[in-house]
Amino acid sequence: MTIKDKTFETSIPEAKILERVKLIADRINKDFEGRTPLFLAVLNGSFMYAADLMKNITIPCEISFVKLASYQGTTSTGTIKEVIGLNEDIRGREVVIVEDIVDTGATMKRMLETLGTREPVGLHICTLLLKPGKLTVPLDIEYVAFEIPNDFIVGYGLDYDQQGRNLRDIYTLVKE
Ligand code: 5GP
Ligand code: MG
Ligand code: MG
């Protein structure tokens, strides 16, 4: 399969993704029984995962969406990521962050810092994918559907240069 100039091969087929997503939802249903969590899905990458996950959540819950806006800082600190679109009052809530992928963990750390200032009672991480070999920030990640190698992947919400998010399966970049 080709996207723009790159070749990708199937890595995790849709059936396997859905099977694993159901298991994650089952765990959340058990863990959050009687607690009405607020799921916060991080756009754009998590849209497909969030949809399939939520279809399997059977406890009372809410879902909302945030985005991370990147801009260059005025100093040499590099890229700063700002959480935008959070309209809910999360004070006193159990919040479950729904992400597509945790790579170095820098993005998730930033999310936790920002959301933490709004005093939720609990902040939980639920990521579809984790690259343990790339993680440089210590994070307590409660829900991971798949641990994957350090290769670049697309599909099921994840993009290569904004394309490929629509693909049902997850694909790995074929190295030249
Ligand atoms: P971080 O390094 O902060 O954990 O991840 C930053 C962002 O890089 C992720 O939210 C995701 O958008 C992107 N990313 C990391 N690894 C991959 C990958 O293999 N494929 C795609 N499409 N995006 C990735
Ligand atoms: Mg993401
Ligand atoms: Mg991307």
Side-chain angles (χ1 to χ4, degrees):
M1 196 269 301
T2 302
I3 301 176
K4 296 190 174 179
D5 57 328
K6 298 273 190 275
T7 307
F8 295 86
E9 61 188 11
T10 309
S11 164
I12 312 174
E14 180 184 28
K16 195 165 176 198
I17 299 171
L18 296 179
E19 185 183 303
R20 207 62 78 80
V21 170
K22 170 82 167 66
L23 292 176
I24 298 287
D26 289 344
R27 279 179 53 207
I28 293 174
N29 287 328
K30 269 209 193 78
D31 294 350
F32 288 88
E33 209 179 337
R35 289 202 280 168
T36 317
L38 167 65
F39 292 90
L40 267 192
V42 186
L43 295 174
N44 296 328
S46 75
F47 81 98
M48 217 176 262
Y49 175 45
D52 286 331
L53 182 74
M54 297 312 296
K55 286 187 236 176
N56 290 286
I57 296 294
T58 52
I59 54 170
C61 66
E62 294 175 26
I63 180 152
S64 193
F65 302 87
V66 293
K67 233 177 152 147
L68 292 169
S70 302
Y71 57 92
Q72 296 297 316
T74 49
T75 58
S76 58
T77 49
T79 307
I80 297 166
K81 285 186 172 154
E82 200 70 32
V83 180
I84 59 168
L86 180 63
N87 303 314
E88 281 69 25
D89 183 7
I90 65 168
R91 179 176 309 226
R93 299 295 307 269
E94 292 277 9
V95 175
V96 180
I97 302 168
V98 180
E99 255 288 24
D100 53 351
I101 187 165
V102 174
D103 190 46
T104 65
T107 306
M108 186 52 75
K109 181 167 177 272
R110 184 85 183 104
M111 278 286 291
L112 292 175
E113 285 166 357
T114 305
L115 298 179
T117 63
R118 297 173 180 234
E119 299 174 34
V121 80
L123 266 183
H124 312 267
I125 304 173
C126 177
T127 187
L128 174 70
L129 301 155
L130 172 69
K131 292 180 183 170
K134 295 273 289 285
L135 195 64
T136 56
V137 179
L139 287 176
D140 178 15
I141 307 178
E142 287 175 64
Y143 306 101
V144 180
F146 298 97
E147 293 195 352
I148 58 168
N150 292 349
D151 310 313
F152 185 80
I153 53 114
V154 294
Y156 196 69
L158 291 105
D159 73 301
Y160 165 55
D161 205 9
Q162 296 309 327
Q163 292 189 19
R165 295 192 195 275
N166 55 307
L167 300 167
R168 289 168 172 264
D169 309 300
I170 291 173
Y171 297 79
T172 305
L173 176 68
V174 177
K175 287 170 195 144
E176 282 117 44

